[in-house]
Amino acid sequence: MVSGGRQVEVEGRRLNLSNLGKNLYPEFTKGEVIDYYARIAPVMLPHLKDRPATRIRWPEGVDGGKFFEKNAPSHTPDWVRTAEIPTPGSSSGRETADFVVVDDLPTLVWCANLAALELHVPQWKVGPRGGLHAPDLVVFDLDPGPPATIVEACEVAALLRDVLAEDGFDSYPKTSGKKGLHLYVPIKEPNEAARTSEYAKAAAQRLASEHPDLVVAKMEKRLRKGRVFVDWSQNNPAKTTVAAYSLRAASSPSVSTPITWDELGSCEDAADLVFSPDEVLGRVEKHGDLLEPLLDGRRRALP
């Protein structure tokens, strides 16, 4: 046993888990956060594998301050995989950072023990020797501007699905875990990052021109009231999107959850697509990983 927690062995790695009874959410403890990540790991880890992770940490819980952590801290165990990634223009003044790559259960539990409630990853991977691969995903972030909600985002997602299908692409939705949706398209490598951003931007602009009362493709927040911003910019290689199955920081724990197109089509209230950790674990038991096609599904080159 260790002070305030306990010592455990996870797949041969020894970890000191601390402050397990501390509330990171008003009614959800650090121990429950770690338990959730340990149980969701079989479906979550494949979506984290080989992708450098930005961890968002809340050491004092969601009612306390947060900080974004890209560089691996000095106390990182030597068995945690890291990758040196260029970070030009970083606020830290560094040109590179040693990102943690969450490839296994011990690393995921270690991150959870550091109160890294959220894990965010890019649309590209790093190779075994640290080389940066071209993007293998295109992502769209559908962000409703009040009074619009996820209900309107579902409507836009269906329209976007049809646009993508015209180019022969399948697309796969998940909730952001907050108020919006993410739509993913697996693509065939190699694709220059500029090309994926260009493709996503063109699709967003097309929707905005065809449905101007519902969709906006420009960044200005003043344009978003009552409409859904189709954010294509997360395809920039310097940006990340919250990982599938990641917790989100809110008044109660919610999860960025893969959903079916039927669920998306039948959404009538924002609460219909809010899922707790226990609900997500139940969904996985019932449906498996709804985003599994992103891992080994049919891939097409961008037009």
Side-chain angles (χ1 to χ4, degrees):
M1 298 290 290
V2 296
S3 176
R6 62 193 177 105
Q7 193 173 86
V8 299
E9 188 170 292
V10 181
E11 295 183 348
R13 306 297 189 186
R14 186 164 293 179
L15 294 167
N16 291 330
L17 305 183
S18 60
N19 301 316
L20 296 177
K22 183 176 186 176
N23 278 4
L24 294 185
Y25 297 84
E27 297 184 4
F28 202 73
T29 67
K30 184 177 175 182
E32 290 173 300
V33 167
I34 293 172
D35 179 69
Y36 166 73
Y37 274 124
R39 294 169 65 192
I40 203 66
V43 292
M44 185 178 190
L45 284 172
H47 296 287
L48 296 171
K49 183 175 174 58
D50 297 328
R51 300 185 193 273
T54 296
R55 291 98 56 216
I56 308 183
R57 294 173 55 184
W58 280 264
E60 301 305 319
V62 296
D63 293 330
K66 69 178 178 181
F67 65 95
F68 289 73
E69 190 170 58
K70 297 180 183 291
N71 205 50
S74 60
H75 55 78
T76 301
D78 58 9
W79 46 261
V80 169
R81 181 185 173 193
T82 61
E84 187 176 9
I85 307 295
T87 55
S90 169
S91 59
S92 69
R94 296 181 49 154
E95 290 301 309
T96 65
D98 292 322
F99 282 72
V100 169
V101 184
V102 187
D103 279 349
D104 55 30
L105 178 58
T107 305
L108 183 58
V109 171
W110 174 75
C111 288
N113 188 55
L114 294 178
L117 297 180
E118 298 188 8
L119 299 174
H120 294 239
V121 292
Q123 316 316 316
W124 47 269
K125 298 179 179 180
V126 292
R129 291 180 295 277
L132 308 188
H133 289 193
D136 62 337
L137 297 172
V138 173
V139 66
F140 298 87
D141 180 4
L142 278 54
D143 183 13
T149 69
I150 200 170
V151 176
E152 285 75 21
C154 286
E155 184 179 350
V156 173
L159 295 170
L160 181 55
R161 174 194 57 188
D162 294 343
V163 168
L164 297 167
E166 290 179 16
D167 288 332
F169 290 117
D170 294 325
S171 51
Y172 302 89
K174 71 175 175 68
T175 70
S176 70
K178 290 192 172 179
K179 62 177 182 175
L181 291 171
H182 297 145
L183 202 61
Y184 287 90
V185 179
I187 55 174
K188 187 180 294 184
E189 296 184 71
N191 287 282
E192 295 297 329
R195 182 74 185 93
T196 58
S197 289
E198 181 182 293
Y199 178 79
K201 182 178 181 179
Q205 289 177 333
R206 173 179 166 183
L207 278 185
S209 66
E210 293 177 352
H211 306 276
D213 294 334
L214 180 62
V215 180
V216 61
K218 294 181 178 179
M219 296 286 182
E220 293 92 335
K221 289 190 176 182
R222 62 181 178 81
L223 301 175
R224 302 184 196 179
K225 184 177 180 180
R227 296 191 284 179
V228 177
F229 173 44
V230 179
D231 186 357
W232 48 268
S233 72
Q234 291 188 34
N235 296 284
N236 181 316
K239 293 194 174 184
T240 59
T241 307
V242 68
Y245 304 107
S246 174
L247 292 169
R248 302 305 305 268
S251 58
S252 59
S254 59
V255 178
S256 183
T257 307
I259 57 175
T260 67
W261 283 107
D262 285 345
E263 288 177 307
L264 187 145
S266 61
C267 177
E268 296 181 348
D269 186 275
D272 294 344
L273 294 180
V274 177
F275 301 101
S276 70
D278 281 345
E279 288 172 328
V280 171
L281 288 164
R283 289 171 61 83
V284 169
E285 187 174 337
K286 179 179 179 180
H287 300 296
D289 178 16
L290 292 173
L291 292 184
E292 188 174 10
L294 299 183
L295 304 172
D296 53 14
R298 180 171 65 99
R299 294 182 180 273
R300 295 176 60 93
L302 292 175

